[in-house]
Amino acid sequence: MADNSLAGQRVLITGGAGGVGRETASRMLAAGARVVSADIPSATRHAAGAIAFAGDLARQDEIERLFALVDAELGGLDIVVACAGLPSESLMDISDEGWRQVIDANLVSYVGCAKKAIERIRKSRRDDGQVILVGSISVHIKAVGESVYNASKGGVALFAETLRKELIAEKIRVTLIEPGAIATHLQPYDDETLAEFENKQEMLPAAEVAEAIMFAATRSPGVDVVTLRIEPLVQKIY
């Protein structure tokens, strides 16, 4: 049976100061894990007790700096949770710099951090290791206006599915979490409007997505939650 304790587990969460990342970090800390929470410099609301890192994880030098901190503070790694992300306008409504930033944040940082995390999981795991990647159900809905965002999250989905096959022999588990609309400030709304969407069941509370991540993270060794799709009852489909 699964053990909901993460005692002694060493965890890295990217996007850790955002709604989902912060909620996940809080739960993992409460379950006994040691957590490094990484996010952009302007994101300062890290979970209490997490070791905070500020940097741009689309840059390789910043990834190297992050993992130097992971090595120094955690002495290895057991779980990586990638949930950094930027929203996007449609291709013809976004600047060239803008769409590149979205791809970098939503896909490039995932690949770069996963590679460094797996290197450490290989060296230091005790029983098994986990790579948990937060994608989006937008790649199934294909809504108008989300072409750039879907390009990035579609890349995450294919990366997760293929990476899992590459790591099965090493008993390193890979999970893809695919949430629907989440009531966080990645949405272009204020707190009051986001609360209204939650109350109307049109957006997910960030805490529910964190619970889905925790479900995957606390399965028994050998039990791999391959893909977990979670959405609000009234999910936009156009």
Side-chain angles (χ1 to χ4, degrees):
M1 297 294 292
D3 180 357
N4 290 329
S5 171
L6 292 175
Q9 295 287 292
R10 297 158 297 180
V11 180
L12 167 64
I13 302 175
T14 69
V20 172
R22 185 171 63 253
E23 292 282 353
T24 302
S26 294
R27 282 160 175 74
M28 289 190 164
L29 286 161
R34 297 162 59 204
V35 176
V36 169
S37 171
D39 217 314
I40 58 176
S42 61
T44 58
R45 295 182 61 198
H46 295 270
I51 301 161
F53 171 90
D56 177 3
L57 298 181
R59 292 174 43 185
Q60 189 61 34
D61 61 330
E62 293 288 81
I63 291 175
E64 299 290 349
R65 190 166 66 85
L66 167 61
F67 280 89
L69 176 70
V70 168
D71 293 341
E73 295 289 343
L74 302 184
L77 202 61
D78 301 295
I79 301 171
V80 60
V81 180
C83 58
L86 290 177
S88 177
E89 301 169 272
S90 63
L91 179 62
M92 302 314 294
D93 293 323
I94 192 171
S95 68
D96 288 340
E97 180 184 12
W99 70 256
R100 290 179 186 278
Q101 287 177 339
V102 171
I103 299 293
D104 282 346
N106 295 1
L107 178 58
V108 172
S109 75
Y110 279 45
V111 176
C113 289
K115 185 174 190 294
K116 293 296 182 184
I118 292 163
E119 289 173 354
R120 284 152 179 82
I121 290 170
R122 280 174 166 171
K123 291 178 181 178
S124 62
R125 75 177 191 263
R126 296 148 188 171
D127 191 2
D128 67 339
Q130 287 186 276
V131 178
I132 301 174
L133 307 175
V134 178
S136 173
I137 69 162
S138 66
V139 301
H140 304 291
I141 295 171
K142 304 175 180 67
V144 172
E146 296 184 350
S147 50
V148 174
Y149 185 77
N150 286 351
S152 65
K153 290 300 186 178
V156 170
L158 291 173
F159 176 59
E161 291 164 10
T162 309
L163 182 64
R164 177 178 178 271
K165 295 177 182 178
E166 293 173 353
L167 297 176
I168 284 175
E170 300 178 59
K171 295 185 170 60
I172 298 174
R173 296 178 283 174
V174 178
T175 293
L176 174 66
I177 307 289
E178 294 189 313
I182 311 171
T184 71
H185 288 294
L186 287 180
Q187 307 282 354
Y189 305 109
D190 59 23
D191 287 341
E192 183 178 352
T193 304
L194 290 172
E196 290 176 5
F197 279 120
E198 273 194 36
N199 291 335
K200 292 189 292 184
Q201 300 179 327
E202 294 179 1
M203 288 188 185
L204 292 165
E208 291 290 349
V209 183
E211 286 294 335
I213 293 170
M214 284 295 292
F215 175 80
T218 54
R219 295 310 88 197
S220 301
V223 178
D224 193 1
V225 180
V226 179
T227 305
L228 198 164
R229 177 170 170 171
I230 175 174
E231 60 186 80
L233 183 64
V234 190
Q235 170 66 47
K236 181 183 76 170
I237 59 173
Y238 53 85

